[in-house]
Structure formats: structure tokens, C-alpha cells
Amino acid sequence: MAKKRREPSPKKATRKARNEHERATLSDLWEKLPLKYQHLIILVFLLIVPSFIFSEVYFGGQQFVAHDIQQFRATAQSVIEYQEETGEDALWATNIFSGMPSYTVISNRAFTHLDTLIRRAFNRIFIPVFPFIFCLTGVYFFFWLMGYRPLPSALAALGICLTTYIPIIVGAGHNSKLIAYSWIPWVMAGYWMLSRSEKRWAGLFLFAIALNFALRAEHIQVVYYFMFPLAIWFVYDTVTAFRGRVLPDWSRRAALMVVAGLLALGANIQPYWSIYEYSAWSIRGGSELQQETGEGGGLDIDYAFAWSQGRGELLTLIIPGSYGGSSAEGTYWGPKTFTSGPHYFGAILFLMFVIGLIRAPGHLKYVFLGSGMLTLLFSLGENLFRFNYLFFQYMPLYNKFRTPEMWLIVTVFCFSVIAAMGMKWVYDSWQDGTLALPKLYLPGGIVLATALFFTLFSGSLLSFEKEGERDRIAQQVASQQNMRADDPQVRQFANRYIEQDIKPQREDKAASDSRRLLLFVVLGGGLLVVTAMRIVPASYTLAGLVLLAAVDLAQVGGRYADKSGLVPGELSSYEAVDRQVRSIDRYIEENIRGGQTWPWRTFPLGDSPFNNAVPAAFVYPSIGGYSGAKLSHYQDVIDHAIFGGQAGLNMQVLNMLNTRFLTYPGPVNLPGWDVVHQGDEGVVMENRNVLPKAWFADSVAIVPQARDAIAELNRFDASRTAILMDIGRVPEIVPTGNRSVEVTSYGPREITMDVAADAPSYLVLSEVWYPKGWHAELNGEPVSIHRTNYILRGFEIPAGEHMLALRFDPRSHILGGRLSWIFNILILLIGAVALAAHYRKW
């Protein structure tokens, strides 16, 4: 017997009819627009919003050549020059840190892709215009795939792509980080298609190509960080498939994800193979001195946890000025050494996030909540030490990265997804007639109470004083006045300065941004109230919320976008750096070779030599430079051997590094050094005892461990003794006066020397030792390159006349380039199949 259909009660039928009538009465122009026009309007709006932050680039004909871009240009100069002269990849940067692999300096593209072509065509405005295009359209497409309407999708796009951290990295010149981040939404969209869509060829192609482009930016830290929410999402989907008894289908989808990931990795095997190979020898792989003391590999934990977000500093997610803003403003008082600005989430996004968290249906929001909370805890670094130390020790690759606060870009991404879910709930509830004021009381009350609380009490809750600040000010005053830091007058001045001059500025900033939060919350909440009361349609309210979010994020983003790196559009990065070259640099440039095939090196002592490449490395080879991934054994020498001795510098180490010139603001009393040029910017001093590019040692010292070698560097005579490690035997050496060596050719890929000796000898070459890729031949026969003097190369030379040739041909680069071509072509073929499947309805 058929079950009788239950009729709705008269009361429910009346309410449903009333709701339908109200919706008809409140029908609006937005809902009458065809969906394609809604998409078009929103996309145009999204692409316009960044121009309010970077109007100088969009409309003023300027471009960013910021600090990091200038450092890159100077660092990469020797590589670029070699490539322009020969058409061959240099692979070895001769101008920084006495020579190092160029993999982390400049990319050697094995495959010209769409991103490369766009960059060439729009080079002047590529940054920041095109990453914003990629990011905003990617987020919008991601939410369209998930079935979201245009306005909630727009809110997510604003939160993800205009969080304050993005304008900050644009101004800082962190271009690779920006580009990698801009492709993450497309990676998420690819995952959605592979996990839920029936268009599996399209999903396979999108996931592979998006991950490929993200990896091509060569900022692996960004990609690694976003693997965490993807992994959590994958686990959630796996559990859901198990409970829904659809594991076979899910297994096939998961297999396609693995294939897509392998294709993307394969497409980037060059340069990542080389970078992976190099990482074990860089500071990211850890120091031998650390390993000998049982500290393990990876970055030093203090270095890795530098720039940890303070616990209280998380308040800047909703009140950007609560901790003073940026160091450039002189008001930042958080725990970091300095900062360019806060990670601001946005007042409207905060409101919608709380609504989404409490009201949005479904369990997917907990995936993004869990991911956001986990990465928020990661961002605390040393300020949540036990938790983060556990991951630092045991999570693969976790200890290869620094700057924990960067995890907050993942937090903001995940929380923005939940904010869009909240806006979707508002729209859906209004559409089905279930939106009512009581449902907004709890989330709205939480947000309003938070804003009111900090508006009223931020001045009494926050200290507005940096830890140890009073002591530092007292020390500065004491040194200026030639007094003791604990003198009562000095302490009184420091206290008065803190209380009367510094704190009021910080309090005003926090109070102003607290009131700002309250204002946006009241405006956003008011829009929600009038919609819940069915005074205005939901689409109008959603549009108002999106507009408020855009104003909010653009204002704060503009506040912290550093515009000091803007230069006229016609000025290239080369010209921007070249303008900083001084007369002392030109003097060295003119005398750097002295008629030889190889150049001397310089120690730019007055220019923060081991954390700066401008202008020194741009003009001549330097024993310093700028890199976050120096060779670890070279860093050991910087830390433990270059500085020391009676003059404060280890002359033997400088001699063995071919350091002929030193620059400084004024003359320095150094034994064996003379002032040879003096200009307005400083002096050039010349080393009379500098060793040549290659020389013969009279004896060798065999040491068993790294710390022994470092100890020898601080007491040996570089012209006579060679320090060897891990050779296992004592090379045969017969000191004689009948020895000669001439460097006949010198370049980043090849060095040749004519060598002659009438007895077995040991030759030291002042080039940095790196075992992955350098090969040596003596008269065409392979010979060993011995690690000498901790960081240099050495060779056993038999009696007679010889031709010694060195060639840098890392297998990772040669084979990796071929494999990259193959995998890139495979991805494009999958794209062609996906296109055919779409039109042929496969």
C-alpha cells in the first residue's frame, strides 16, 4: 500500500507563501542579471581593487625594483653576463661568497612555458599585476567549482589575495614568493576537480599544470606550507569515502592526484634536483660543526625560528596597529627584530568567518578550520617552542625553512574560505526564507563584543613596550653621555622617554585601529540586520560587504606597501643597481684583473659584507654577498675563522681567498694593507700578501674532523700549509723551487691551468670546494679534487708538465633538463586530451 503523502500544515504553507512574496517584492537588479554578466562585473571589480594599492604601477608608469630585486640583480650579475656572452648556463656564481652554485640565485629554465612568455611580454608591469590576476581569478574559479555564487567568491578572493602580507612582499621584492602563492588557488581548484568532478582528465591537467607553475616560481617554502591543508583535506576525503563505502572510486581519484603531483615534480626536476642536491651542502642542510656535536642537520633552530609571531601579536589579524604596525613607522613593539607590517585578515572577513564557523552547514569548514589553526600555531615558532620543536625535529623538510610568521598566509587563506562559507549561508538562508535576526545574535554578538572590548580596553590590556627596550635605550644614552647604564639619571631619562614619547604613539595607533574594527563591524552588521529583517535583498547586503572588505583591505594594504622601491618604468633593474656603484667600486673594477685571466676578490667590509651584494658583487667578485642558502662550510668559516687575530681579521684566510682589495668608510690599521684609493664614499685598501689563484703548498696537515680544520685555519700559514680532511692518507710532497702554475682560462663552468713540477707536489686552488658537479682531469685523465683548507680545492700533482682542467657539469642539471622537457610535454598532452574529452563528451 502506497504511503500517503503528508501535506504541509496551513501555518507552514502561509509562511512559505509570505517568503516567496517578500522575495518577489525585494527582487533586485543584481539577481535579474544573467549569471555570466555577474561573473564579468565581479571579475572586473576584483582586478581593479589592487590598483588602489599600486596605482603607481597600474597608471603611473612605474615599476618595482625593491631591495630584494636589487640584491638579486647584483648577485646574479656574473651569471647573467656569462649567459649573454656564451649562451650557456653559468650554473656557478663567481661573484658571491668566493663562488657557489647559482641554483638558488637565478633559474635556468629548461622549458619555456606560458608564464615565461607572459613575463617577457609584460616585464615592466608583470609584478604585481599578473600575480594578482592569477590569484584573484584562481580563487574565483575555485569557488565557482564549489558551487558558490559570485559575491561570496569575491569575498574569498579579496581575503586570500589582498591580505596585508601580499602588498608587503610586493614592496619587499619577494617576487618568487608572490608568484608561487598566486598559483595556490589553482592547485586547490585542481584538487577539487580531481576529488569531486567527473571530468577527470580536466582535473588531472589542472592539478598538474597549476602545481607545475607554483613549483616553477622556485619558492618551495610556499608550496610546502600549502601541502598541509591539502594533506588534511585529503585525509578528510579518505575518511568520508571509507564511511560512504566508495573507497574504490576514491582510490582511483587519489592515484590521479599522485600522478599529477609526479608530473608537476618531473616538469620541474631541473632545477629542483640540483637544489635538492645542493641543499645537503648548504646552511639548510646544517653545519658539519653542528653534526659533530650531535645537533643534527637542517637550519640552526634559533635561525629557523627567527621572526616568530608573538602570541599576543596574533591580535594584528583583526587590529593591524595593535602592535605598532611596521618597524619603518618606528612604533612596532612586538617580539620580532623588525617587521614590515602585520598579517591583517580584515574586519569584514572576521565577521563572516565567525558567522561561517557557527552557521555554515557541512563538515568541510572544519578541514579549513583545523588547517588554519595548525598553521597559526606553527607561526608562533619559538613562542610555542615545545610544540614547534617537535615538528622541527621530526616533520620532513620542516627544519629547512625559516620565518615562522609566514605560516599565517595559510591561516588567512583557510579562514577566508570559512568567511566565504558564512556569506554563502547568509545568501542561501535569505533565499529559502530561514534567515532571521536570532540566528545572527550569537556570531554577531561575538564579533561586536570583541570589537567593543578592544576599543574600550586595548590601552590597559597591552603593554606597548618591547621586551628589554628600556635597557637598550639606557645603554644608548649611557654610551652617548659617557655614563653608566644603571646611573639613576640615565634610567630616569629612559623611563620618561618610553612613557611620554614612545608609548602614547603606540597606544594611539592601537586605539585608532580598534575603533576602525568597531566601525567596519557595525557597518557590516547593520547590512546583515536590514537583510535579516527583509528590508533589502541579500544580494545588496553581500555586495555592500564585499565593497567594505575591499575598502578595508586596500586601505591597510596601502599603509604597509613599501613604495620606496618604485622607479620609472623605463629604468631596468640593471640600471637601478648601476646607479649605486661608487668611485671606490669603479677603481676596483678597473684593477680587478691586473692583466690576468682571472679576477682578484674584494672584501666590502663596510657594506654588511655577508648580508649584502649591492653594489660590490654587481661590479667585482666578493668574498661576501647575499643569500639565504650559502654553502654551510663557507658559513662555518665566516662564523669561526674570518674574524680573529690581533687586527680583528684572519689575514691567512683572506690571503687564501685571493682577497686583494678591501673597502671601508675610512682607513684601517691592518698589517700588510695599504690605502690605494680614497673617495667620498670611503677607501680602497690593497693586500700586499694576497695569494694567487693557485699555489703549491710545502706541507699538509691531516685533520680528522671539521672543528680541527677550523682550529688550524686560525693558526696556519696559508702560503705553506694545506689542511686536508677525509683523505685517509698523507699525499706525497717534495718541496722544491722548480714548480710553476699558470691559469690559462677561467670561467664559471671551466678552469684550465698549466702545471709543472720536478717532484710530487700539492696544488691549492682558491676556488670553493663543492663535490656535486665539479670534475677534474690531469692530461685528460680523471683526478680527485680534495677538500683543502676547509673550503678550497686541492690536487696531487705528479712530477712533470701537465694540463689540469676543471669542468662544472652537474648530472642533475644535464639529465634534469631533459626530463623536464619530457614531463612538461606530457602535461600539455594531457591538456589536449582533456580539451578533446570536453568537446567530444568522453
Side-chain angles (χ1 to χ4, degrees):
M1 180 175 171
K3 188 175 180 180
K4 186 176 180 181
R5 184 165 173 256
R6 187 176 180 181
E7 297 294 332
S9 67
K11 187 176 180 180
K12 289 185 177 179
T14 302
R15 185 167 64 245
K16 182 179 180 182
R18 185 172 65 251
N19 289 337
E20 290 176 354
H21 174 71
E22 287 176 350
R23 285 199 299 274
T25 305
L26 294 174
S27 63
D28 55 83
L29 292 174
W30 181 257
E31 290 299 330
K32 291 179 180 178
L33 278 175
L35 195 57
K36 62 181 179 180
Y37 292 123
Q38 293 184 26
H39 289 315
L40 180 62
I41 291 170
I42 291 296
L43 284 171
V44 170
F45 168 76
L46 290 175
L47 296 177
I48 288 174
V49 173
S51 70
F52 290 99
I53 304 175
F54 300 106
S55 59
E56 299 89 346
V57 176
Y58 280 74
F59 312 116
Q62 298 189 63
Q63 64 172 322
F64 276 100
V65 184
H67 171 269
D68 275 28
I69 299 173
Q70 294 181 30
Q71 293 292 341
F72 155 76
R73 194 61 179 78
T75 299
Q77 183 61 22
S78 69
V79 177
I80 294 171
E81 285 180 350
Y82 181 82
Q83 290 172 337
E84 289 176 348
E85 290 172 5
T86 66
E88 183 182 31
D89 292 329
L91 303 182
W92 189 265
T94 58
N95 60 331
I96 58 170
F97 300 111
S98 303
M100 63 179 283
S102 64
Y103 313 137
T104 62
V105 174
I106 186 171
S107 171
N108 299 291
R109 295 294 188 193
F111 190 89
T112 299
H113 233 308
L114 177 63
D115 58 341
T116 316
L117 298 175
I118 293 174
R119 178 130 200 183
R120 289 175 183 171
F122 301 95
N123 185 58
R124 187 185 65 79
I125 63 169
F126 184 84
I127 301 293
V129 176
F130 279 91
F132 276 126
I133 292 174
F134 302 151
C135 186
L136 290 163
T137 55
V139 175
Y140 195 80
F141 179 68
F142 174 41
F143 279 87
W144 174 78
L145 282 177
M146 292 196 296
Y148 281 57
R149 302 281 297 178
L151 288 168
S153 303
L155 183 74
L158 290 171
I160 289 169
C161 303
L162 285 179
T163 176
T164 312
Y165 188 67
I166 304 306
I168 287 173
I169 63 176
V170 170
H174 296 172
N175 293 353
S176 60
K177 185 186 300 183
L178 175 68
I179 296 168
Y181 181 75
S182 71
W183 289 110
I184 294 299
W186 292 97
V187 174
M188 295 290 184
Y191 178 86
W192 178 272
M193 288 192 73
L194 271 181
S195 61
R196 286 157 173 80
S197 172
E198 292 306 315
K199 297 181 178 179
R200 300 192 185 186
W201 280 107
L204 178 63
F205 172 69
L206 180 59
F207 193 70
I209 196 73
L211 188 56
N212 180 13
F213 283 144
L215 290 169
R216 278 170 64 84
E218 293 184 29
H219 203 292
I220 192 65
Q221 187 170 2
V222 171
V223 180
Y224 177 81
Y225 281 8
F226 276 93
M227 289 300 105
F228 279 77
L230 272 177
I232 293 172
W233 196 355
F234 179 84
V235 171
Y236 166 79
D237 283 343
T238 302
V239 173
T240 302
F242 176 77
R243 289 178 175 174
R245 299 183 179 180
V246 290
L247 271 179
D249 176 70
W250 175 247
S251 298
R252 289 189 289 272
R253 293 177 182 273
L256 289 177
M257 294 173 195
V258 173
V259 169
L262 291 175
L263 285 169
L265 286 172
N268 289 277
I269 198 166
Q270 190 281 325
Y272 279 105
W273 184 358
S274 297
I275 292 174
Y276 175 77
E277 185 178 67
Y278 172 69
S279 66
W281 300 95
S282 77
I283 58 174
R284 304 297 172 112
S287 162
E288 289 173 87
L289 299 177
Q290 284 181 310
Q291 294 166 9
E292 286 182 1
T293 57
E295 296 180 41
L299 290 174
D300 174 76
I301 194 165
D302 292 332
Y303 181 75
F305 280 1
W307 280 270
S308 295
Q309 188 78 352
R311 295 187 186 187
E313 200 176 4
L314 292 173
L315 184 59
T316 59
L317 286 166
I318 57 174
I319 305 175
S322 57
Y323 272 70
S326 71
S327 299
E329 297 172 289
T331 52
Y332 174 70
W333 59 276
K336 295 189 283 286
T337 306
F338 65 87
T339 183
S340 298
H343 287 257
Y344 180 55
F345 178 43
I348 298 301
L349 279 116
F350 174 51
L351 172 63
M352 300 314 299
F353 165 76
V354 177
I355 291 175
L357 193 59
I358 294 174
R359 296 299 179 200
H363 296 98
L364 187 58
K365 65 182 178 184
Y366 298 115
V367 168
F368 288 97
L369 177 65
S371 301
M373 292 304 298
L374 178 65
T375 53
L376 184 145
L377 296 178
F378 286 162
S379 76
L380 297 176
E382 65 182 3
N383 298 311
L384 193 63
F385 186 81
R386 290 186 179 179
F387 176 82
N388 284 302
Y389 181 75
L390 184 68
F391 282 87
F392 186 86
Q393 287 292 100
Y394 300 108
M395 178 62 68
L397 300 180
Y398 190 96
N399 64 357
K400 304 298 182 185
F401 306 112
R402 63 190 296 251
T403 318
E405 69 158 350
M406 186 179 152
W407 281 103
L408 288 174
I409 62 172
V410 186
T411 304
V412 170
F413 187 105
C414 295
F415 287 0
S416 295
V417 173
I418 299 174
M421 291 177 176
M423 184 173 275
K424 182 179 185 295
W425 172 82
V426 170
Y427 181 84
D428 292 345
S429 299
W430 188 86
Q431 285 292 100
D432 63 22
T434 60
L435 182 63
L437 272 179
K439 291 188 176 181
L440 295 175
Y441 288 163
L442 178 58
I446 290 172
V447 175
L448 182 60
T450 301
L452 277 170
F453 179 79
F454 284 106
T455 299
L456 296 173
F457 302 112
S458 64
S460 57
L461 285 173
L462 303 174
S463 71
F464 301 106
E465 184 176 338
K466 199 173 181 71
E467 184 178 356
E469 191 170 25
R470 289 176 192 258
D471 292 336
R472 284 192 293 273
I473 292 173
Q475 288 286 352
Q476 292 171 4
V477 173
S479 63
Q480 292 170 0
Q481 301 297 324
N482 196 25
M483 300 171 69
R484 297 195 322 272
D486 59 353
D487 186 286
Q489 290 184 325
V490 172
R491 301 301 300 184
Q492 184 180 18
F493 177 86
N495 293 337
R496 186 171 61 248
Y497 181 68
I498 289 280
E499 297 296 336
Q500 296 181 9
D501 294 348
I502 294 181
K503 276 191 174 182
Q505 297 180 50
R506 296 168 176 172
E507 291 173 358
D508 288 346
K509 201 168 189 63
S512 174
D513 277 356
S514 296
R515 292 191 296 268
R516 189 178 183 279
L517 170 65
L518 180 61
L519 174 63
F520 276 99
V521 167
V522 168
L523 291 174
L527 288 173
L528 291 170
V529 167
V530 294
T531 288
M533 295 175 66
R534 312 199 75 78
I535 296 173
V536 298
S539 58
Y540 286 5
T541 287
L542 267 57
L545 291 170
V546 168
L547 187 60
L548 284 172
V551 171
D552 181 20
L553 291 169
Q555 282 183 346
V556 178
R559 186 193 301 177
Y560 297 109
D562 184 1
K563 306 292 182 70
S564 62
L566 284 170
V567 299
E570 64 274 8
L571 192 70
S572 67
S573 60
Y574 175 92
E575 293 167 322
V577 179
D578 190 62
R579 291 192 303 180
Q580 301 181 54
V581 177
R582 307 156 298 188
S583 64
I584 57 176
D585 302 312
R586 294 302 182 198
Y587 174 86
I588 297 174
E589 182 181 29
E590 293 168 3
N591 294 274
I592 199 68
R593 286 187 179 271
Q596 301 155 154
T597 58
W598 49 273
W600 299 99
R601 296 192 182 101
T602 297
F603 188 15
L605 183 58
D607 299 324
S608 183
F610 301 114
N611 197 36
N612 177 43
V614 179
F618 181 74
V619 186
Y620 42 74
S622 169
I623 68 169
Y626 182 82
S627 172
K630 298 185 285 293
L631 283 162
S632 62
H633 49 284
Y634 198 89
Q635 183 66 53
D636 288 342
V637 170
I638 293 172
D639 293 338
H640 304 289
I642 281 185
F643 297 98
Q646 294 180 350
L649 293 173
N650 187 330
M651 297 305 171
Q652 296 300 324
V653 171
L654 295 183
N655 291 344
M656 78 179 191
L657 290 177
N658 298 151
T659 314
R660 182 172 182 177
F661 299 108
L662 179 149
T663 61
Y664 202 67
V668 184
N669 184 19
L670 296 174
W673 294 75
D674 300 319
V675 175
V676 292
H677 177 82
Q678 191 156 0
D680 295 336
E681 315 92 341
V683 300
V684 178
M685 300 187 68
E686 185 175 4
N687 183 6
R688 296 195 305 270
N689 300 316
V690 62
L691 289 169
K693 179 59 66 179
W695 68 94
F696 288 98
D698 294 333
S699 63
V700 297
I702 307 296
V703 295
Q705 292 185 309
R707 64 175 179 268
D708 301 313
I710 290 292
E712 285 293 328
L713 285 180
N714 286 289
R715 57 177 178 245
F716 84 136
D717 182 345
S719 66
R720 295 180 177 275
T721 304
I723 305 167
L724 275 66
M725 296 172 59
D726 304 325
I727 192 172
R729 57 182 175 78
V730 179
E732 182 183 357
I733 297 178
V734 179
T736 174
N738 297 318
R739 301 176 297 190
S740 66
V741 55
E742 179 186 0
V743 179
T744 53
S745 68
Y746 179 82
R749 294 291 292 273
E750 190 172 39
I751 302 170
T752 60
M753 291 171 278
D754 288 337
V755 184
D758 59 1
S761 303
Y762 192 84
L763 180 71
V764 182
L765 176 66
S766 183
E767 289 294 312
V768 170
W769 176 82
Y770 177 63
K772 299 296 183 178
W774 278 104
H775 309 281
E777 292 183 349
L778 191 67
N779 301 327
E781 296 295 325
V783 293
S784 298
I785 303 175
H786 299 303
R787 181 178 175 183
T788 304
N789 296 355
Y790 201 73
I791 53 173
L792 300 182
R793 308 175 204 172
F795 309 87
E796 296 178 73
I797 305 297
E801 296 184 355
H802 314 282
M803 200 274 279
L804 178 63
L806 284 77
R807 178 75 186 172
F808 190 50
D809 277 323
R811 185 167 176 264
S812 58
H813 173 75
I814 298 169
L815 182 57
R818 295 168 185 166
L819 291 173
S820 289
W821 270 93
I822 294 170
F823 282 103
N824 272 287
I825 291 171
L826 283 174
I827 292 174
L828 294 178
L829 289 174
I830 290 171
V833 173
L835 194 63
H838 174 74
Y839 284 105
R840 293 179 177 269
K841 310 297 181 185
W842 290 351

